[in-house]
Amino acid sequence: MTRLEINPVKGLSSEQAAEKIRAEGYNELPETQKHGIPGIILEVVKEPMFILLVASGLIYFFLGDVTEGIMLMSFVFVIIGITVYQEQKTEKALEALRNLSSPRALVIRDGEQKRIAGREVVTGDILILSEGDRVPADGILLSSNHISVDESLLTGESVPVRKIPWVEGQTEQHPGGDDLPFIYSGTMVVQGQGLAEVRSTGPRTEMGKIGTVLQTVGRDDTRLKTEISWMVKTIATVGLFLCLIIVVVYGFTRGDWISGLLAGITLAMAILPEEFPVVLTIFLALGAWRISQKQVLTRNVPAIETLGSATVLCVDKTGTLTLNKMTVQTFFAEGVICDHDPIGANSVPDICHELSEYAILACKKDPFDPMEKALIQLSDGDFGKTEHIHTGWDLIVEYPLSPVLLAMSNVWRSPDGNEFIIASKGAPEAIADLCHLPEPDREMLAGQINTLAAKGLRILGVAKASFVLSELPDGQHDFEFKFLGLIGFADPIRPGIPEAVAECHSAGIRVIMITGDYPLTARSIAQQIGLQHADECITGSELEQIPEPELKDKIRTATLFARAVPEQKLRIVNALKANHEVVAMTGDGVNDAPALKSADIGIAMGGRGTDVAREASSLVLLDDNFTSIVSAVRLGRRIYDNLKKAMAYIFSIHVPIAGMSLIPVLFNLPLILMPVHIVFLELIIDPACSVVFESEKEESNVMNRPPRQKDERLFTRKTLFLSLLQGFVVLAVVFLVYLSAISRGLNEEEVRTLTFTTIVIANLLLILTNRSWSETMFQTIQTPNKAMGWVFAGTLIGLALILIIPSLQNLFRFAPISLDELIVCVLAGVVSVLWFEVYKVWNSRHKRKEETERLIL
């Protein structure tokens, strides 16, 4: 291998470099303006739900209930802490990008080779690039000794690309593709040596442009957060208004303004839904923990609720659907095509032994090139135990790849020094040329090449030659080569990917592959994984020509994009969002970061993914397994379903509590509920609406139904109606018990005891009936829920103590009641929810009937 002539090159002087740093800045990405912890906290505490939490906590302190007040205020600090942590983690995205884009660099300064920090590289610097170096800046190759560069960080293409020296007049192109003279910051030299001149540094490089996009791309508030904020504002306003009415009405009608203020505070406590922000926080926090059990790390907690509404999953091929590892897939030897089975007893068929032997000999001993690594791995199995593996042979000469002849040859000498062989591999056309194949053989070979290429394989030809000891010729053409065959390589798909894609389709999620690889390879992978419309492929160059209105229309059905560059990935995601799709985007490279950040749900690879991709994402796959996404989507839908049940329960139970706080005041009847009663009920409601409903199992059809509409509210008209109807039915039953007790001449303490006991029993039964809106209580009770058991046991024990122990009776202003009266309270609670059980049975039968009619039609 010839050495690069670098001595005549002087490069810049130290003074010139220092002047350029002053004028252009360092070769690094600019830091974004950080909000700082005080700024983040200020943004957090301005949220209505947090203001309401603080207000509720202050009310408890005002009432002297320090324990409940501390509990609520602790939630405030926990939520603020989580938010500050997440915001600071997000700001590390550009910092990770800056570290990646500024490696050490070997340059020529003052006519000498100097190793400098990558951030000190300036335009005009002459870089010395060698195998294993990371390129510190964008530039052009001045000279090249068979240099190949891995540009997968920018293109997503798993195979390195060849580079050639720059010729005056060439215009810069996008990264990717062979035989171009342009090099890019952050890419890796995997083969050869070269001299390059720096043309762009810092934010002006291709990687820098991605960093600039990251600074401008942001995420909107999730629909759920916006909706809950609106609900909290509305209910808080209504509650405050009713509270004032109660104080005024009570003061004027009874002349007791202090008691009126207490009644108003009680109503405010009954109406103010402080559970909403608590429930949302607990659900998302526990949801993040549950999803982590499926090897998915949650970086942006609100993305959990968005998972259930995802309609499109944009997938990067390399490293996401595939293993990002080239492997030998197919052999063609002696006119026969054979498959390579790496785990089989005969991984390399006998007819392919000589082909494999010389393919390995044509590789370097410790290669960087992924296809050479794949060939070396052939010797790991049974084939490595045969005489075809020449571990004791010496490599004496290499004939490298060149733009003129896309083939390389190695000359080997046997241990005894008497035998010399030449192994050659390269582009099939180049190998055919080396072997001087006649035209009929070339036509037959072309047919086999087309057959393998149609499968998306990358193909190498292999040939051999031998010679007697003499002076070696200058070129490979001077040997008499014999054609041995072809080897097809593929980046195999991950196990379970077709099943995961099929499950996405059954869940109504459209899977779109966006890759920087070639269309033929992309189409082959798409067909293997069962992608819809896999035959229709849009290339990056075609995408550039499509105007926005046409793209929005075309992207409604398109599922395959090849040769896509970062800007185009971002454009695809934005076009999908413009069509009101909820977009999840997976990726692992720097090139994916803008699209990951712009998507509703950015999902980065944790193992092979770059720090930039991880920091820009909402979720990180810890095991890089695409199937984990499906598990996360399933959990996301379960979390949202259970959150919906919890919120419906909160609405339901607040109706009878607020009603029994308001009605006695308006109609000058004995007051039933006081702050101590509200606190007791909250001790049931808080764990019930958070822990009990959060731990509920998923509905049976969770992955066999389409995603919810993007504009669908947490409370649809039907959901809100049923929720409020549950509450008003309970209120009606409780009020009947209340009126019955008054009509029977019971004193105020006895009336309060019966009414409150009925509310507690009805509360427990509301929890039980809302565990599922499709299965009856008798079905759901067979499914264990430990949290519900603890809540039920604690509530019943607490109620029993209040009813039995005199000191607690006095605290709650209760009176002893008989067993018969207790049974009446239980029956009244059962009656209050019985109608909803009947509705669930009727609704299930109606849906089954509709499904049967649909199948018949």
Side-chain angles (χ1 to χ4, degrees), residues 30 75 81 211 371-372 405 559 606 677 741 789 813 842 855:
F75 274 122
M371 287 196 283
E372 288 195 343
L405 182 65
T559 59
H677 303 115
R813 299 185 186 179
W842 174 85
L855 292 174

Side-chain angles (χ1 to χ4, degrees), residues 705-814:
R705 67 189 190 213
R708 64 180 185 273
Q709 296 296 315
K710 185 175 183 178
D711 58 352
E712 180 183 325
R713 303 178 69 87
L714 179 67
F715 284 104
T716 61
R717 290 182 179 179
K718 178 181 177 182
T719 304
L720 186 59
F721 172 76
L722 288 175
S723 177
L724 292 176
L725 185 58
Q726 287 185 68
F728 279 111
V729 171
V730 171
L731 174 59
V733 172
V734 170
F735 189 61
L736 286 175
V737 172
Y738 172 76
L739 290 179
S740 173
I742 292 176
S743 66
R744 287 188 286 136
L746 300 180
N747 61 41
E748 184 176 320
E749 286 74 17
E750 291 173 323
V751 172
R752 181 177 294 114
T753 305
L754 290 174
T755 306
F756 183 79
T757 302
T758 306
I759 293 176
V760 171
I761 298 299
N763 187 358
L764 294 178
L765 290 170
L766 273 177
I767 297 171
L768 199 57
T769 193
N770 278 287
R771 286 182 65 193
S772 173
W773 280 29
S774 59
E775 297 180 350
T776 64
M777 282 193 292
F778 302 104
Q779 293 171 313
T780 58
I781 206 168
Q782 299 175 27
T783 305
N785 185 322
K786 291 183 179 179
M788 186 188 71
W790 284 107
V791 169
F792 270 54
T795 302
L796 294 175
I797 291 172
L799 181 62
L801 293 175
I802 293 170
L803 295 177
I804 295 172
I805 300 176
S807 59
L808 293 178
Q809 284 183 6
N810 294 332
L811 177 64
F812 281 79
R813 299 185 186 179
F814 282 174

Side-chain angles (χ1 to χ4, degrees), residues 633-651:
V633 170
R634 184 186 295 111
L635 274 171
R637 291 189 173 190
R638 166 188 162 177
I639 290 165
Y640 189 85
D641 285 350
N642 290 343
L643 181 60
K644 197 170 184 178
K645 296 171 189 175
M647 294 296 188
Y649 161 74
I650 293 172
F651 262 114

Side-chain angles (χ1 to χ4, degrees), residues 58-59 61 89 125 157 224 282 327 341 354 474 548 557 647 652 662 679 732 792 811 823:
L58 293 176
I59 289 175
F61 281 125
K89 287 287 288 181
D125 260 331
E157 186 177 345
L224 180 59
I282 291 177
T327 60
D341 181 10
E354 187 178 30
D474 294 331
E548 288 298 330
T557 56
M647 294 296 188
S652 299
L662 179 63
V679 170
F792 270 54
L811 177 64
I823 292 174

Side-chain angles (χ1 to χ4, degrees), residues 125 132 178 257 282 328 379 387 396 445 454 457 479 507 524 532 547 609 635 663 753 758 795 801 809-810 837:
D125 260 331
D178 289 319
W257 290 92
I282 291 177
V328 174
S379 59
E387 72 281 2
I396 58 175
L445 183 63
L457 301 179
F479 295 106
S524 173
Q532 296 171 336
L635 274 171
I663 293 173
T753 305
T758 306
T795 302
L801 293 175
Q809 284 183 6
N810 294 332
E837 294 297 300

